[in-house]
Structures are given as structure tokens and as C-alpha cells.
């Protein structure tokens, strides 16, 4: 080596700096995020710029409520948070509905909110608001990126917080000027999430409780499952002739066709499961707790002598009511892993109890006649013609209203996350969640049933479906009223209809205007042909399809 070479100083390459906004995107990629649902705003342009060449698909929505719902639905379908991005002030306000859904449904979700520049804070700047005061009571954490060098750390913390313990929403504020600062591009590592599991004591307590029980019932709920976990649990339940019900709007946590499945428990529950919580001598809740909806407003299963085992990763048991005999701090899949090695001799009483309840569920779910009746269109006829042709992996999404009961009764939810719905009773969820499902699982049959009142709250997101190639089948059940509220009204204020009646446009024409297939059905006899045409448009033309079903008022699924 020459003397000159020895004298030449070594050049140490320093990493190229990146803007904090671009580092936020890089960190989301490192966490496995595949898409984000956005309404753009000048407050977070640098993040949008970072998404430009990113592998993350940017789904541009038409309203912040729709974007937040799509992100919340995305979180229900994956073992990671759904991601939404909105701007400050009005944008954040509009997204709040999705955040409340994620909070009450225990859904992992991260909402990024662009903020005013750091230097403008506390001066009543344009669209300024106090992000912590707005969201602190409805999110697991609210964080603000005040130091650009912490961009990756803040995102990693947000993703961790959304998934750890009882899952839920996290809000991250992004000041407009801070995200443009150039900093070291090193990424914060993914923070592992604890999954818990059964201790030796837990295992023995549960085994002894089952051995002493003659009518045990598992109640499955929440979004914190995988297909492998639900498959393993269904196999174990069937092997031991044990019964399982599902939390309201969690159908699919045990297969619809499983001999162990005995029906849903929650609002509007069918008669077969109405008294089940009181009849059983042992309840094992997995992934959920006996809260308001399950217990009919904290009325059912409140006797402190009853035996309840609660399996949840949330040690605080938030939302629980009634007795707790034993808590097992575990995520559902890990609990099932430990349960699968429990060798129990199936009792004849278990089998007879499960077979009786399963028989009731089968009678309840038996399809009505597919042959149309004379007169106005009926949801019964539509379901009878739709269900037999559904593939094994068909999905259903729902918002809120009595129209959802046709799906609860008849739709065959065979796989985990085959029912994506809002358990907080939030309206306007059906169309956005169907779009998110179709984008996540292209090629699967995605159906949504929307009420006429609910549909117009986010029906404009059909433009998003057309833009990104989502192909759900949208059934709009049009009875010209807010049906659920009318039912409560008739109960408390009979014959005084007020504030519940609607006059609707032609939703089929609306679907066509957005670039999809739309058909209006007024007569029952026209349902089979209309349904066939709608499915043909989806399968052959790659369009979303909407069936506008004009039905009589006060006709309910059960």
C-alpha cells in the first residue's frame, strides 16, 4: 500500500436523512401495513408524499367517517391495526365515529391526524383543536409528534398500544412543520405484544369446573382471533360435544355449520338462546366479557353464585358485569393452544345439552321458501335465493338496524372474520366495511345488507369502491323508515309515529351513477332474476352491484 493511500482519510458514509413524514410511512411498512384509508389534507402532505412510492396502497375515501370505518373494519380482519389518516379540526371531528366503534368493539386501529404547525399552537390558528381533550376518553392513547427524531418510535408505540392488552384505537397527531424536518432514518423495531396463556392453576381450575358441570357453554367474541385458533377450538368443542354461542355480531368465531354452534347472544337474540345464560351451570367467555349487550342491560347472569370463567388478555375486565369465578389472562389463540391438550371425558349430559340447543339453532336458521310470493319484495325471499349459492368463504358486513337480523339468522359464517360489523350500534358502517373487506380479500364473495336510513350515511363511498375495484354485493332494504327506532317507539309511544319516516331516492340509479350495477326490485317475483344479474355483474364485469329492495314496513326477520 502506498504512503499516499495511508495518508488519505477514510470516508465514513453517514446515512441519508429523511423527513419525519417519510419515516412514518417506512415504519408502517415495517409493521406489515398493506393499505391506509385517507382523506387528504394540507396538514400532512409530507406523509402523503411518503406514500407515493410506498408499497402501502393509499385508498382515497370520500368522507372521514367512511375512511375511519374502513380502517376499523381492516383492524377486525387482521392481527394488526387498521390505519386511517385525516386532517385537523373538521377532519378529525368527522373521523370520531370510527374511533368510537373501535373503542367499543375492541378493534386495533391507529388514526393519524394532521395538525397545525407547532409554532402556531395555542393561537386559535385555522382548524386548531386540542387533540388530547377531544380523544383522550375514547382512545387507548393520544400521542403528538412534537420531536421529529421520534417519528418512528411514536408510530411503533402507537401500533403496540393498539394491539396490546384489550385492543383498541390510538390517535397520533402530526404537526405540519414537524413532519417535514429531516432526521436520521433509522427505524424503531417492532414492539412484541404479550399474548398471555393459561397457568397451571388456570388449567386445573378450568378442568375441574368442566368436570363438575353438566351444561357448560362457551361464549366466543371479540376480534383478537385467527383462523387457526377458531379451527382448533371448534375441533376441540366438537370432540367433547360442548356447546358454543357467539357474541352479538361475532358470528364466524365458530363455524355456522359446526354441531357445537348454538347461535348468537346479544340484542334481538333468537328465542333458542334467550334463556341460555341463566340455564347453563358454567359459562366460559373467550375473547369477550359479559357486558351490557350480552346480559340484556346488566340483567342476565347477575347472580353471584353463578360460575363464570373469563378468558381475556385485559386484566382490568373493562365492561364486565356479574360474577367472576376465575379469570384467565390470555389471548384467544394461546388459550386454545393450552386448552387443546386438556384431556376430558365427554359427558352424556354435555352431548344432550349441545344437541338440544343445536337443534333449536338449525330450526331457527332453516331457510324460508325460495319461491317468491305474490306481492311486495321480501328479505326472506332474497336470503333464500342468495344463501344456497354462497361459497364457503363468503363474508357479510353490517351496520346497525333491524335489517341486520336477516344475516344473523341465515348467513352461513363459516370462517373467522366472515362477519364484519359494528357492535357499538353505529350506522353507516355497512358500505365502508364491505369495501374494506373486498379490497383485503379480492375474489371472495362480500355481501353487505344496509338499511335505507343507514345506507345514505356513507353510500357515497361507492365512488371509492368503483375507483379501487372493490366488488361487494350491496343489498339495500328500503322500508322507508328508521326501523329499529320505530320498534322502540311503538313499544313506548304506541300509535304516535314521530321522527322515524323517510322518503328515499332510487338507490339503483345512484349505484349506476357511481359506476356500478344497480337494480330496483319492488315485487317478490323479480328477486331471483335481479340477484342473478347482480352477481353476474360482479363476477363477469368486475363491478360492485346494488340491489334496491323495496319492502313493506314492520316486517322483521324474527
Amino acid at each position: 500500500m502506498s504512503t499516499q493511500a495511508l495518508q488519505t482519510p477514510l470516508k465514513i458514509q453517514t446515512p441519508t436523512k429523511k423527513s419525519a413524514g417519510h419515516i412514518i410511512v417506512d415504519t408502517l411498512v415495517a409493521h406489515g401495513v398493506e393499505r391506509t384509508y385517507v382523506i387528504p389534507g394540507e396538514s400532512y402532505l409530507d406523509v402523503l408524499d411518503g406514500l407515493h412510492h410506498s408499497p402501502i396502497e393509499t385508498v382515497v375515501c370520500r368522507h372521514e367517517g367512511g375512511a375511519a370505518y374502513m380502517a376499523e373494519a381492516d383492524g377486525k380482519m387482521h392481527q394488526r391495526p387498521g390505519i386511517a389518516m385525516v386532517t385537523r379540526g373538521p377532519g378529525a371531528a368527522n373521523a370520531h365515529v370510527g374511533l368510537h366503534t373501535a373503542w367499543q368493539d375492541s378493534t386495533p386501529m391507529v388514526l393519524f391526524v394532521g395538525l397545525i404547525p407547532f409554532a402556531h399552537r395555542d393561537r386559535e390558528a385555522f382548524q386548531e383543536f386540542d387533540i388530547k381533550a377531544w380523544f383522550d376518553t375514547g382512545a387507548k392513547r393520544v400521542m403528538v409528534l412534537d420531536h421529529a427524531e421520534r417519528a418512528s418510535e411514536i408510530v411503533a408505540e402507537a401500533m403496540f398500544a393498539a394491539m396490546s392488552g384489550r385492543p383498541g384505537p390510538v390517535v397520533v397527531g402530526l404537526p405540519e412543520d414537524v413532519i417535514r424536518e429531516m432526521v436520521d432514518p433509522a427505524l424503531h423495531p417492532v414492539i412484541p405484544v404479550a399474548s398471555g396463556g393459561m397457568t397451571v392453576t388456570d388449567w386445573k381450575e378450568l378442568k375441574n369446573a368442566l368436570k363438575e358441570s353438566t351444561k357448560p357453554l362457551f361464549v366466543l367474541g371479540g376480534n383478537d382471533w385467527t383462523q387457526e385458533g377458531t379451527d382448533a377450538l371448534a375441533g376441540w368443542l366438537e370432540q367433547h360435544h360442548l356447546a358454543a354461542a357467539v357474541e352479538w355480531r361475532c358470528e364466524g368465531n365458530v363455524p355456522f355449520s359446526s354441531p357445537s354452534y348454538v347461535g348468537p347472544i346479544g340484542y334481538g337474540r333468537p328465542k333458542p338462546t334467550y334463556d341460555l345464560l341463566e340455564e347453563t351451570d358454567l359459562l366460559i367467555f373467550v375473547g369477550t366479557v359479559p357486558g351490557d349487550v350480552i346480559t340484556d342491560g346488566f340483567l342476565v347472569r347477575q347472580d353471584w353464585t353463578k360460575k363464570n370463567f373469563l378468558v381475556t388478555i385485559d386484566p382490568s375486565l373493562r365492561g364486565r358485569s356479574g360474577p367472576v369465578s376465575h379469570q384467565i389472562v390470555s389471548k384467544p389463540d394461546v388459550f386454545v393452544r393450552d386448552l387443546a391438550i386438556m384431556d376430558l371425558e365427554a359427558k352424556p349430559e354435555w352431548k344432550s345439552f349441545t344437541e338440544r340447543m343445536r337443534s333449536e339453532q338449525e330450526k331457527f336458521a332453516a331457510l324460508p321458501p325460495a319461491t317468491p310470493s305474490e306481492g311486495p319484495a321480501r328479505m326472506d325471499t332474497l336470503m333464500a335465493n342468495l344463501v344456497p349459492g354462497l361459497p364457503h368463504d363468503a363474508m357479510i358486513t353490517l351496520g346497525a338496524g333491524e335489517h341486520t337480523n336477516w344475516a344473523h339468522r341465515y348467513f352461513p359464517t363459516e370462517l373467522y372474520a366472515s362477519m364484519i360489523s359494528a357492535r357499538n350500534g353505529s350506522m353507516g358502517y355497512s358500505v365502508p366495511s364491505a369495501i374494506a373487506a373486498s379490497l383485503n380479500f379480492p375474489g371472495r364473495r362480500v355481501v353487505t345488507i344496509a338499511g335505507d336510513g343507514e345506507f345514505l350515511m356513507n353510500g357515497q363511498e361507492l365512488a371509492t369502491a368503483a375507483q379501487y375495484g372493490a366488488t361487494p354485493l350491496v343489498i339495500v332494504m328500503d322500508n322507508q323508515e328508521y326501523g329499529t327506532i320505530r320498534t322502540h317507539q311503538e313499544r313506548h309511544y304506541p300509535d304516535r309515529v314521530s321522527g322515524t319516516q323517510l322518503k328515499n331516492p332510487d338507490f339503483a340509479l345512484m349505484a349506476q351513477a357511481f359506476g356500478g350495477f344497480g337494480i330496483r326490485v319492488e315485487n317478490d317475483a323479480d328477486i331471483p332474476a335481479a340477484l342473478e344479474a347482480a352477481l353476474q355483474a360482479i363476477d363477469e364485469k368486475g363491478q360492485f352491484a346494488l340491489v334496491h329492495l323495496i319492502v313493506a314496513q314492520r316486517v322483521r326477520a324474527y
Side-chain angles (χ1 to χ4, degrees):
M1 183 180 292
S2 68
T3 305
Q4 183 179 4
L6 288 171
Q7 292 175 344
T8 302
L10 293 173
K11 291 184 178 180
I12 301 174
Q13 290 187 338
T14 57
T16 304
K17 290 190 174 183
K18 277 189 174 184
S19 69
H22 283 227
I23 291 170
I24 287 168
V25 174
D26 292 345
T27 308
L28 291 174
V29 172
H31 280 76
V33 172
E34 296 175 350
R35 61 183 50 80
T36 180
Y37 304 91
V38 313
I39 296 291
E42 68 272 26
S43 58
Y44 70 100
L45 285 177
D46 196 76
V47 176
L48 290 174
D49 186 69
L51 288 166
H52 184 265
H53 287 303
S54 164
I56 296 175
E57 180 181 22
T58 304
V59 180
V60 182
C61 305
R62 301 309 175 104
H63 188 274
E64 290 88 355
Y69 277 147
M70 290 186 205
E72 197 277 346
D74 201 290
K76 281 187 166 91
M77 292 181 275
H78 295 286
Q79 291 292 298
R80 53 151 178 75
I83 307 296
M85 297 179 179
V86 301
T87 195
R88 58 207 179 195
N94 286 339
H96 212 145
V97 66
L99 208 70
H100 183 264
T101 305
W103 176 266
Q104 288 223 317
D105 285 20
S106 302
T107 306
M109 172 185 173
V110 178
L111 174 67
F112 289 93
V113 182
L115 299 178
I116 61 168
F118 184 90
H120 294 179
R121 195 174 295 173
D122 297 324
R123 300 173 69 183
E124 193 59 32
F126 177 65
Q127 295 183 339
E128 182 177 7
F129 75 106
D130 187 332
I131 190 170
K132 294 202 173 185
W134 276 27
F135 293 120
D136 249 344
T137 59
K140 292 185 69 178
R141 290 188 68 182
V142 180
M143 296 180 280
V144 178
L145 180 63
D146 282 342
H147 303 282
E149 65 273 13
R150 295 188 62 199
S152 185
E153 176 196 346
I154 290 292
V155 174
E157 288 284 351
M159 298 293 280
F160 169 76
M163 292 184 289
S164 62
R166 173 174 162 171
V170 173
V171 181
V172 179
L174 305 175
E176 180 180 340
D177 50 351
V178 174
I179 61 175
R180 292 197 299 262
E181 293 181 25
M182 305 299 288
V183 294
D184 188 320
L187 300 184
H188 193 286
V190 175
I191 305 171
V193 175
S195 55
M198 277 204 274
T199 65
V200 173
T201 301
D202 294 334
W203 199 84
K204 289 180 178 178
E205 288 281 345
L206 179 58
K207 184 174 183 178
N208 289 335
L210 283 165
K211 288 171 69 174
E212 293 170 5
S213 171
T214 57
K215 292 182 179 180
L217 176 69
F218 283 72
V219 178
L220 316 180
N223 317 306
D224 213 7
W225 296 76
T226 66
Q227 186 62 56
E228 293 75 18
T230 55
D231 285 345
L233 180 56
W236 188 87
L237 292 170
E238 291 168 13
Q239 176 188 349
H240 293 87
H241 305 291
L242 288 166
V246 293
E247 182 181 9
W248 188 55
R249 296 184 176 169
C250 284
E251 290 167 58
N253 286 15
V254 63
F256 197 78
S257 60
S258 170
S260 286
Y261 176 57
V262 299
I265 291 182
Y267 285 141
R269 70 182 66 174
K271 183 59 179 171
T273 58
Y274 193 81
D275 299 320
L276 199 52
L277 294 187
E278 294 291 7
E279 180 182 354
T280 178
D281 60 0
L282 173 63
L283 275 176
I284 303 106
F285 291 88
V286 185
T288 188
V289 295
D292 178 17
V293 177
I294 290 180
T295 62
D296 282 349
F298 309 114
L299 295 175
V300 179
R301 198 73 179 187
Q302 301 300 297
D303 183 345
W304 297 106
T305 65
K306 298 286 188 180
K307 188 171 288 188
N308 292 350
F309 274 60
L310 275 55
V311 182
T312 169
I313 194 64
D314 177 17
S316 73
L317 295 179
R318 196 178 80 222
R320 171 211 53 89
S321 73
V324 180
S325 307
H326 194 90
Q327 181 188 7
I328 298 172
V329 181
S330 176
K331 285 183 176 287
D333 276 28
V334 180
F335 167 74
V336 173
R337 178 203 66 191
D338 297 341
L339 181 71
I341 61 174
M342 186 179 290
D343 185 23
L344 283 171
E345 185 177 346
K347 294 183 179 181
E349 297 95 329
W350 295 353
K351 184 176 182 181
S352 60
F353 173 65
T354 301
E355 287 180 346
R356 172 169 65 85
M357 294 309 303
R358 176 61 187 171
S359 175
E360 293 290 340
Q361 163 61 19
E362 288 176 338
K363 286 187 287 186
F364 175 72
L367 287 171
T371 303
S373 60
E374 294 182 5
R378 295 177 55 86
M379 277 295 295
D380 281 351
T381 305
L382 185 139
M383 296 303 290
N385 281 271
L386 172 67
V387 168
L390 290 171
H392 181 74
D393 64 352
M395 300 179 69
I396 181 76
T397 79
L398 305 166
E402 289 181 337
H403 59 276
T404 64
N405 287 336
W406 271 274
H408 289 302
R409 182 168 187 175
Y410 298 123
F411 199 92
T413 46
E414 293 295 336
L415 301 180
Y416 170 65
S418 52
M419 178 178 284
I420 305 296
S421 186
R423 293 190 295 279
N424 71 331
S426 192
M427 297 178 72
Y429 187 86
S430 57
V431 171
S433 57
I435 293 169
S438 184
L439 293 177
N440 273 278
F441 301 105
R444 284 179 69 172
R445 177 73 75 223
V446 176
V447 180
T448 190
I449 301 176
D452 51 334
E454 191 223 0
F455 174 75
L456 272 184
M457 293 186 179
N458 274 307
Q460 78 283 347
E461 296 299 345
L462 290 179
T464 307
Q467 182 173 346
Y468 293 95
T471 58
L473 171 64
V474 181
I475 309 297
V476 181
M477 194 195 87
D478 183 354
N479 61 1
Q480 303 87 52
E481 65 179 353
Y482 288 114
T484 303
I485 309 307
R486 170 76 182 275
T487 295
H488 289 291
Q489 193 170 64
E490 293 287 358
R491 185 178 301 131
H492 299 289
Y493 301 93
D495 302 320
R496 293 178 61 81
V497 179
S498 176
T500 56
Q501 300 305 288
L502 299 170
K503 182 176 176 59
N504 294 313
D506 189 322
F507 297 129
L509 292 179
M510 179 178 169
Q512 294 170 27
F514 279 122
F517 173 88
I519 188 167
R520 179 182 173 96
V521 181
E522 298 185 22
N523 299 313
D524 212 40
D526 297 330
I527 286 178
L531 197 55
E532 182 180 359
L535 295 175
Q536 186 176 19
I538 293 172
D539 295 336
E540 296 182 7
K541 298 181 180 180
Q543 296 176 292
F544 72 82
L546 183 148
V547 177
H548 182 187
L549 203 69
I550 314 297
V551 300
Q553 291 190 339
R554 319 314 302 142
V555 177
R556 294 192 284 266
Y558 52 89

